[in-house]
Amino acid sequence: MGKLLVVGTVAFDAIETPFGKTDKILGGAATYIALAAKSVADIDTAIVSVVGEDFPEAHLQLFKDRQINIRGLEIVPGGKTFFWSGKYHNDLNVRDTIATELNVLADFQPVVPKNYLDADIVMLGNLHPGVQLSVIEQMTAKPKLIVLDTMNFWMDHTLELLLEVIKKVDVITINDEEARQLTGEYSLVKAAAKIHKMGPTYVVIKKGEHGALLFHDSQVFFAPALPLEEVFDPTGAGDSFAGGFVGYLAKSENISFENLKNAVIHGSNVASFCVEKFGTERLVSLDNHQLKERLKQFTALTQFDIDLS
Amino acid sequence: MGKLLVVGTVAFDAIETPFGKTDKILGGAATYIALAAKSVADIDTAIVSVVGEDFPEAHLQLFKDRQINIRGLEIVPGGKTFFWSGKYHNDLNVRDTIATELNVLADFQPVVPKNYLDADIVMLGNLHPGVQLSVIEQMTAKPKLIVLDTMNFWMDHTLELLLEVIKKVDVITINDEEARQLTGEYSLVKAAAKIHKMGPTYVVIKKGEHGALLFHDSQVFFAPALPLEEVFDPTGAGDSFAGGFVGYLAKSENISFENLKNAVIHGSNVASFCVEKFGTERLVSLDNHQLKERLKQFTALTQFDIDLS
């Protein structure tokens, strides 16, 4: 059973969708990733992140209850927690950012807890590439797998540093528009080929409601998103996907292309729950039986039987 | 081995894409459907359509060479063939129609050849719903399967007639935006449920480069589009999909949900070739070996092995 280290934001989110709105609720990439990973597999998981003194004990307790190690979650005395606020359009693929208050994130210097300096899998959630790089450099043993998530903001503002991180990771997860921006290629097949050359052995291109593509050299695998009656709140879907992905890999300790196919299905599976309610609400109430039942739906959704002889 | 009757346009297309442009080349829904169906399975296939006196002998010969019966392809003396001209944007999902000249299509009264009044499968390509209805009403034996393709234009202009056709068909293929327009539902799951209630047992929602969904009551299956290095010309992709779909069904004579899954994969397979060159060029040069090899790619693309016990 592998050890998983998750780096990313722990945040307050205020979300508005066509179906309702929230006050400041628990959010952040590391939050979704860790919760999703733990729901897929009971693996040894730690978060490296930062919050302010305003971060409620109840949220910390949530992590503890789920046996997510928060020794690496720094609490800055007198500081305020990172805050993001966004509003989704009727087409939930489009959202406006209302507010981004970095607060304690602005000066964050990550410290990886001693017990996790030899983690098997390092999941770098979306964050300043400098923070991601610092975590990679702290690792005393080479991780079996480093997975990177990032976004267009870092391509716009810290591209060189981001490219340095990309060079050091085994897997990158990125959405279709970002893959196009990073490579200047419209075709996702060509974009993935270019990203391979930047470093990562595996390239995962996320297409939201249109699923995700996993590229490995000339091979490609596709995991659909589950067609849902209603998507309630897409916040955290990409991070839940990443969490399910690394959670499954940490448990199965097999990083072959064949097993990564399974991992993206597990990622899509968890993500399909995440979007059913606001924020982390659905992830928190998720149980093993529900995950397994929906995996059957993914199987029915995609598996066919054509005689290829 | 089933008998397939294809109703739809036979046309001249003039196409411009970011990669080049054509003069008037062979096009039309029935053309793509019949060529795609014949490439998937050597089934008894006939076209019901209309062209003008300007339609070249070479195009007629193409159909004859492929043993596509054109007894139902009316040639109007002195008439001009239906002409469509379109220009694709860099994002090939977006196109502008430059010209639509109905010509002989304006007064088309379809006549189903006697030998095909008992066809097993009737494929109603995109066309005036009045023409589609007339064909259904001419059939002397109830077809095993009637498949309908249509578009937003008919929803805007002849909705009542279209709904009458929809009521009489077993399968409808329609794109995502059209499914939303037809039902007023944004969620494709909800849209499919509403369309079921309008008549069709099976609902296929085409999402272009994002694949196709097959709905049957509460069951759903997803066929991805093959990720291609480059899409050269999307014209005819939807019709090729429909052609591969009905061609496979006519051959296998099995209209269970399980077999329809295979049919949408065969449809996606043929469509993935169609877009590689201008117009029908790639369909015409397609052989069995190429189809089979690419089916293996579809299998590798989608099949995984998760233990569900």
Side-chain angles (χ1 to χ4, degrees):
Chain A
M1 197 68 93
K3 219 189 266 184
L4 173 65
L5 179 68
V6 178
V7 190
T9 53
V10 171
F12 289 134
D13 287 348
I15 303 162
E16 185 171 348
T17 79
F19 312 108
K21 62 187 290 185
T22 69
D23 285 330
K24 287 184 173 185
I25 59 172
L26 175 62
T31 303
Y32 284 101
I33 293 168
L35 289 174
K38 278 299 242 185
S39 69
V40 165
D42 187 22
I43 35 161
D44 187 351
T45 301
I47 283 178
V48 170
S49 190
V50 64
V51 292
E53 213 178 291
D54 57 349
F55 197 71
E57 179 59 32
H59 290 348
L60 296 173
Q61 194 58 45
L62 176 73
F63 291 123
K64 290 179 197 161
D65 287 347
R66 266 136 228 283
Q67 282 157 327
I68 294 165
N69 187 307
I70 52 171
R71 288 288 283 282
L73 178 61
E74 184 190 347
I75 301 171
V76 179
K80 283 184 72 183
T81 300
F82 170 54
F83 172 64
W84 175 83
S85 168
K87 181 176 173 174
Y88 290 87
H89 294 216
N90 282 324
D91 173 357
L92 292 168
N93 297 302
V94 185
R95 74 179 184 195
D96 300 323
T97 291
I98 309 288
T100 308
E101 298 170 11
L102 285 181
N103 298 329
V104 293
L105 205 60
D107 303 309
F108 178 42
Q109 304 285 344
V111 178
V112 178
K114 269 190 193 150
N115 283 350
Y116 292 87
L117 287 169
D118 62 348
D120 299 282
I121 298 188
V122 176
M123 174 71 225
L124 305 168
N126 176 37
L127 203 66
H128 194 295
V131 172
Q132 296 176 321
L133 198 59
S134 161
V135 166
I136 295 175
E137 285 167 350
Q138 288 175 54
M139 302 305 288
T140 51
K142 189 177 158 52
K144 293 203 186 95
L145 200 74
I146 305 180
V147 181
L148 169 69
D149 187 42
T150 187
M151 71 182 293
N152 51 2
F153 182 86
W154 311 115
M155 296 173 198
D156 294 336
H157 296 99
T158 60
L159 181 60
E160 263 185 63
L161 202 55
L162 176 61
L163 290 174
E164 214 178 310
V165 178
I166 291 176
K167 204 185 291 181
K168 293 180 194 293
V169 306
D170 304 292
V171 184
I172 183 172
T173 76
I174 183 172
N175 78 29
D176 43 3
E177 282 319 308
E178 291 158 355
R180 287 174 175 136
Q181 176 174 348
L182 185 61
T183 61
E185 292 288 350
Y186 186 82
S187 156
L188 297 179
V189 176
K190 288 187 179 175
K194 275 201 179 174
I195 298 172
H196 274 315
K197 287 194 184 136
M198 297 176 183
T201 309
Y202 297 107
V203 177
V204 177
I205 298 183
K206 298 175 288 183
K207 305 197 296 171
E209 61 166 332
H210 300 303
L213 288 159
L214 165 68
F215 291 92
H216 175 53
D217 295 332
S218 64
Q219 299 178 90
V220 53
F221 177 71
F222 178 75
L226 199 71
L228 295 169
E229 283 229 353
E230 208 70 86
V231 169
F232 189 80
D233 171 20
T235 309
D239 294 316
S240 301
F241 172 86
F245 179 78
V246 292
Y248 175 77
L249 289 176
K251 180 179 134 203
S252 54
E253 295 191 307
N254 171 347
I255 54 170
S256 68
F257 180 59
E258 285 308 310
N259 201 48
L260 259 75
K261 291 181 179 181
N262 294 345
V264 296
I265 294 291
H266 279 279
S268 297
N269 193 35
V270 189
S272 77
F273 285 101
C274 176
V275 302
E276 289 182 343
K277 295 198 175 175
F278 266 133
T280 59
E281 196 180 336
R282 189 65 186 89
L283 285 186
V284 168
S285 72
L286 192 53
D287 70 35
N288 244 319
H289 177 73
Q290 292 166 332
L291 278 165
K292 205 170 265 184
E293 284 305 305
R294 194 164 286 183
L295 271 182
K296 289 182 192 164
Q297 283 181 258
F298 270 92
T299 305
L301 179 67
T302 55
Q303 306 302 286
F304 57 84
D305 185 21
I306 288 180
D307 180 12
L308 293 170
S309 60
Chain B
M1 196 71 91
K3 220 188 268 184
L4 173 65
L5 179 68
V6 178
V7 190
T9 53
V10 172
F12 289 134
D13 286 350
I15 303 162
E16 185 172 349
T17 79
F19 312 109
K21 62 188 289 186
T22 69
D23 285 331
K24 287 184 174 185
I25 58 172
L26 175 61
T31 303
Y32 284 101
I33 292 168
L35 289 174
K38 278 298 241 186
S39 70
V40 165
D42 187 22
I43 37 161
D44 187 352
T45 302
I47 283 178
V48 169
S49 191
V50 63
V51 292
E53 211 178 292
D54 56 349
F55 197 71
E57 179 58 32
H59 290 348
L60 296 173
Q61 194 56 48
L62 177 71
F63 290 124
K64 289 179 197 161
D65 287 347
R66 266 135 227 285
Q67 283 157 327
I68 294 165
N69 187 307
I70 52 171
R71 288 288 284 280
L73 178 60
E74 183 189 349
I75 301 171
V76 178
K80 284 182 72 185
T81 300
F82 170 53
F83 172 64
W84 176 82
S85 168
K87 182 177 172 174
Y88 290 88
H89 294 215
N90 281 323
D91 173 356
L92 292 168
N93 297 303
V94 186
R95 75 180 184 193
D96 300 324
T97 291
I98 309 288
T100 308
E101 297 170 11
L102 284 183
N103 299 328
V104 294
L105 205 59
D107 304 307
F108 178 41
Q109 304 284 345
V111 179
V112 179
K114 270 190 191 148
N115 282 350
Y116 292 88
L117 288 169
D118 62 349
D120 300 282
I121 298 188
V122 176
M123 173 72 226
L124 305 168
N126 176 38
L127 204 65
H128 194 295
V131 173
Q132 297 175 322
L133 198 59
S134 160
V135 167
I136 296 174
E137 285 167 351
Q138 288 175 55
M139 302 305 288
T140 52
K142 190 177 157 56
K144 292 202 186 95
L145 201 73
I146 304 180
V147 182
L148 169 70
D149 188 42
T150 187
M151 71 182 294
N152 50 4
F153 182 85
W154 311 115
M155 298 173 197
D156 294 336
H157 296 100
T158 60
L159 182 59
E160 263 184 64
L161 202 54
L162 177 61
L163 290 174
E164 215 179 308
V165 178
I166 290 176
K167 206 186 288 181
K168 293 180 192 296
V169 306
D170 305 291
V171 184
I172 183 171
T173 75
I174 183 174
N175 78 29
D176 42 3
E177 281 320 308
E178 291 158 357
R180 287 171 175 139
Q181 177 174 346
L182 185 61
T183 61
E185 292 288 349
Y186 186 82
S187 155
L188 297 180
V189 175
K190 288 186 179 173
K194 275 202 179 174
I195 298 172
H196 274 315
K197 286 192 185 139
M198 297 176 185
T201 311
Y202 296 107
V203 177
V204 177
I205 298 183
K206 298 175 288 184
K207 304 197 295 172
E209 60 165 334
H210 299 302
L213 290 159
L214 166 67
F215 292 91
H216 175 53
D217 296 332
S218 65
Q219 298 178 90
V220 53
F221 177 72
F222 178 74
L226 199 71
L228 295 169
E229 282 228 353
E230 208 71 85
V231 169
F232 189 79
D233 171 20
T235 310
D239 295 316
S240 301
F241 172 86
F245 178 78
V246 291
Y248 176 76
L249 291 176
K251 182 180 131 201
S252 54
E253 296 191 305
N254 171 347
I255 53 170
S256 69
F257 180 58
E258 286 307 311
N259 201 48
L260 260 74
K261 291 181 179 183
N262 295 345
V264 296
I265 294 290
H266 279 279
S268 297
N269 194 33
V270 189
S272 78
F273 285 101
C274 176
V275 301
E276 289 182 343
K277 295 198 173 174
F278 266 133
T280 60
E281 197 181 337
R282 189 67 187 88
L283 285 187
V284 168
S285 72
L286 192 52
D287 69 35
N288 243 320
H289 177 72
Q290 292 166 334
L291 278 165
K292 205 169 264 183
E293 285 305 306
R294 195 164 285 182
L295 271 182
K296 289 181 191 163
Q297 283 180 258
F298 270 92
T299 305
L301 179 67
T302 54
Q303 305 304 285
F304 58 83
D305 185 22
I306 289 180
D307 180 12
L308 293 170
S309 59

